[in-house]
């Protein structure tokens, strides 16, 4: 190992340590005092409920743990978006579980809460996964009702999805383990089966105070919409549980009886660990996002037996394409190569070199053909992003870079096999799109702590923004000294750097998670297993493209 490897390793392990620290804070939800208050009421926290429900809490992945991170500060924050979502196994069957976190504003729905719940339902719909809702929510967060209530992808879309999933035969089970009020009361009742916990669970369109104000009726909440009322009088719920654990045990029993699902038929063999040391990833990945490295060395540490069958190895070398297995599953990998590659010409000038992380016409052409091959062979696609964008300049424009880039985007858009995206380093501009960014429907998209997502890199963007800022100030008659210019540049770059952080992206659900690189195989494997629940119903068709 060389000194540079050791420096890279130290840097990346510090990033990982920061990730673990942030996640530990997130898991506390609204804080220790609110957790204690919940326990005093005889209730479990959202995370405790999910852990109890799953066969093995360690064998699970969490969606959107950093949702809401740094947002809504004027409202006291919204850790994890006020809802915990995990994919794991219940009675041996893969499921997705959604649990309101009552320690965060009594489980009220912020705009990001709605977005996160819709993401869970999207995963369930795409993969035909059973979905379990553990309901404990005060409903819409009223100070922000205009941002959560009326639009297409707001609160009401949840119930629309309930109905759609029911028609698709996707199992939905809801347990009312606390408040379930107003419009939120429809969610459990639009599920296939509904449970309610005695004395702590309640369902009503309007609580006792609102009933008194609206129609003058005096009634307590338990009589109005408690477990006994809904299990013995209204018939709204199907099971009455004595406490949280009893409700969760009932769910386990229901899931246990579900029949097997139709399979998509993705190929899987016995899993093998990579031959090359997985821990080496931390030393291979450079400290600076502008530095070069060999993506092939990363791939070897992600795939079974470090065995990778490269497709068109000598052509379009700034994108690597090829076949491998991850945890036994056959995959097609499309990865950006960050190592500078010389062209086949005898005398290579700087203008004739291919710069790492940039997509050229030949690279885009290769990727398009490979994606088509994977669709023909029914092989899931894995995109490993470290991309600065498409090549610019007269040579590229005259060579048709826009046309070739459009073909690649077309292939990614129309792919019918499941796609999974890992943002390893840079994810800039149109490169994000071509390499299956969030807008292109990856089944799961995750980022490593080293990731950056933006239109362009921080230094370049800051220079552009600085030019605009200084021009504006000069128009106002202000003199810009070198010192003032540097101060402005540093201020702009600092602001921009916060926005390119993987946590900024995860807070807004542009990615599903920020993960330890060593968990990448688990995420992809569980994602393909989920996708295997949903047989492919469409044919791969590129439509009309420029040739």
């Amino acid at each position: 190992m060389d000194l540079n490897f050791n420096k890279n390793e130290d840097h990346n392990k510090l990033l990982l340590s920061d990730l673990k620290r942030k996640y530990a804070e997130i898991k506390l939800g609204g804080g220790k005092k609110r957790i204690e208050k919940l326990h005093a009421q005889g209730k479990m926290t959202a995370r405790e409920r999910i852990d109890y429900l799953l066969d093995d809490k360690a064998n699970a992945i969490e969606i959107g743990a950093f949702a809401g991170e740094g947002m809504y500060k004027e409202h006291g924050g919204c850790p994890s978006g006020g809802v915990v979502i995990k994919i794991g196994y219940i009675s041996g069957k893969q499921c997705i579980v959604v649990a309101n976190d009552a320690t965060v504003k009594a489980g009220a729905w912020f705009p990001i809460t709605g977005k996160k719940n819709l993401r869970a339902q999207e995963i369930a719909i795409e993969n035909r996964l059973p979905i379990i809702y553990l309901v404990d929510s005060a409903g819409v967060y009223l100070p922000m009702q205009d941002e959560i209530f009326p639009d297409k992808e707001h609160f009401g879309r949840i119930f629309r999805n309930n109905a759609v999933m029911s028609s698709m035969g996707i199992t939905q089970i809801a347990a009312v383990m606390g408040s379930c009020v107003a419009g939120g009361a429809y969610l459990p009742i639009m599920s296939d089966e509904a449970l309610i916990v005695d004395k702590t669970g309640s369902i009503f369109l309007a609580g006792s105070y609102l009933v008194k104000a609206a129609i003058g009726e005096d009634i307590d909440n338990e009589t109005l919409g408690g477990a006994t009322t809904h299990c013995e009088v209204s018939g709204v719920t199907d099971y009455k549980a004595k406490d949280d654990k009893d409700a969760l045990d009932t769910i386990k029993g229901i899931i246990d009886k579900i029949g097997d699902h139709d399979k998509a038929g993705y190929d899987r063999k016995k899993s093998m660990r990579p031959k090359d040391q997985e821990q080496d990833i931390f030393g291979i990945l450079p400290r600076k996002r502008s530095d070069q490295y060999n993506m092939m060395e990363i791939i070897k540490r992600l795939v079974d037996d470090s065995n990778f069958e490269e497709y068109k190895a000598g052509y379009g070398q700034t994108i690597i394409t090829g076949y491998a297995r991850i945890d036994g599953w056959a995959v097609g990998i499309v990865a950006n190569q960050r190592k500078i590659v010389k062209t086949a010409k005898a005398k290579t000038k700087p203008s004739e070199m291919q710069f790492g992380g940039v997509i050229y016409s030949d690279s885009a052409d290769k990727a398009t053909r490979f994606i088509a091959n994977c669709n023909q062979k029914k092989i899931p696609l894995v995109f490993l992003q470290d991309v600065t964008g498409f090549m610019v300049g007269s040579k590229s424009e005259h060579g048709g870079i826009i046309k070739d880039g459009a073909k690649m985007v077309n292939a990614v858009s129309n792919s019918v096999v499941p796609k999974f995206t890992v943002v390893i380093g840079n994810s800039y501009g149109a490169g994000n799109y071509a390499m299956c960014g969030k807008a292109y429907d990856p089944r799961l998209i995750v980022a490593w702590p080293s990731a950056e997502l933006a239109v362009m890199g921080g230094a370049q963007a800051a220079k552009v923004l600085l030019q605009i800022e200084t021009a504006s100030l000069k128009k106002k008659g202000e003199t810009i000294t070198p010192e003032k210019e540097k101060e402005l540049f540093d201020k702009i770059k600092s602001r921009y750097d916060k926005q390119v952080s993987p946590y900024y992206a995860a807070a807004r659900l542009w990615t599903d998670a920020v993960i330890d690189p060593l968990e990448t195989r688990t995420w992809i494997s569980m994602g393909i297993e989920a996708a295997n629940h949903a047989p492919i119903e469409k044919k791969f068709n590129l439509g009309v493209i420029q040739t």
Side-chain angles (χ1 to χ4, degrees), residues 209-222:
Y209 291 120
L210 187 53
V211 167
K212 174 68 174 176
I215 64 173
E217 180 183 3
D218 281 310
I219 191 169
D220 63 89
N221 282 339
E222 184 64 25

Side-chain angles (χ1 to χ4, degrees), residues 350-471:
S351 61
E352 296 166 349
M353 297 175 76
Q354 293 211 329
F355 295 96
V358 179
I359 301 175
Y360 288 76
S361 285
D362 55 357
S363 307
D365 175 62
K366 176 170 82 170
T368 300
R369 292 180 64 178
F370 180 72
I371 290 165
N373 283 344
C374 287
N375 274 270
Q376 185 186 58
K377 296 178 177 73
K378 206 157 71 170
I379 300 173
L381 285 159
V382 174
F383 293 83
L384 303 179
Q385 284 195 10
D386 195 343
V387 57
T388 52
F390 285 89
M391 191 59 190
V392 297
S394 61
K395 187 176 179 180
S396 292
E397 297 293 358
H398 296 169
I401 185 66
I402 296 174
K403 178 178 65 177
D404 291 316
K407 284 193 286 188
M408 182 177 173
V409 170
N410 197 316
V412 172
S413 303
N414 287 298
S415 178
V416 297
V417 295
K419 299 166 291 192
F420 302 89
T421 302
V422 183
V423 186
I424 288 175
N426 302 326
S427 181
Y428 297 158
N432 170 280
Y433 303 157
M435 291 295 293
C436 198
K438 182 66 183 289
Y440 292 81
D441 298 322
R443 296 293 176 97
L444 294 171
I445 176 170
V446 297
W448 288 3
S450 50
E452 292 187 359
L453 290 85
V455 170
M456 63 179 74
Q460 298 94 319
K463 287 175 184 176
V464 174
L465 293 168
L466 178 65
Q467 289 173 11
I468 296 169
E469 183 83 12
T470 53

Side-chain angles (χ1 to χ4, degrees), residues 15-30 35 46-48 50-51 54 57-58 60-67 69 79-80 83-87 101 116 449 503 506 512-516 519 523:
L15 291 180
L16 178 60
S17 177
D18 191 43
L19 165 63
K20 291 179 177 178
R21 178 188 58 79
K22 287 176 181 286
Y23 183 50
E25 291 174 3
I26 287 290
K27 288 199 292 186
L28 291 174
I35 291 172
R47 292 183 180 277
E48 288 167 346
I50 293 178
D51 288 349
L54 297 178
K57 66 180 182 180
I61 56 177
E62 183 171 352
I63 305 295
F66 291 100
E69 173 78 355
S80 232
V83 61
V84 182
I85 299 171
K86 290 190 180 185
I87 299 174
D101 187 349
K116 188 170 172 180
Y503 299 102
D512 291 314
V514 182
I515 67 167
D516 179 343
E519 294 175 353
W523 274 79

Side-chain angles (χ1 to χ4, degrees), residues 87-122:
I87 299 174
Y89 302 88
I90 302 169
S91 300
K93 295 179 175 67
Q94 195 178 43
C95 302
I96 185 163
V97 187
V98 181
N100 299 114
D101 187 349
T103 69
V104 179
K105 299 289 185 187
W109 288 55
F110 283 70
I112 196 66
T113 316
K115 188 173 182 179
K116 188 170 172 180
N117 274 267
L118 288 170
R119 176 61 178 143
Q121 290 185 321
E122 180 183 40

Side-chain angles (χ1 to χ4, degrees), residues 320-342:
I320 297 171
T321 52
Y323 304 103
R325 290 188 182 273
I326 292 178
D327 195 26
W329 294 103
V331 297
I333 293 175
V334 181
N336 302 111
Q337 174 59 290
R338 288 301 307 271
K339 186 174 71 171
I340 291 176
V341 179
K342 291 186 179 181

Side-chain angles (χ1 to χ4, degrees), residues 486-498:
K486 184 180 184 304
E487 181 187 335
L488 278 171
F489 177 83
D490 291 342
K491 183 180 178 182
I492 292 167
K493 187 173 184 302
S494 175
R495 185 175 69 239
Y496 195 87
D497 284 346
K498 287 179 184 176

Side-chain angles (χ1 to χ4, degrees), residues 3 6 8 34 37 96 158 176 254 273 285 322 342 347 350 433 445 467-468 498 505 519:
L3 182 60
N6 292 336
N8 288 342
R34 290 181 182 173
K37 185 178 178 182
I96 185 163
I158 301 289
V176 179
I254 296 169
R273 300 303 308 181
L285 201 62
K342 291 186 179 181
K347 293 181 180 180
Y433 303 157
I445 176 170
Q467 289 173 11
I468 296 169
K498 287 179 184 176
E519 294 175 353

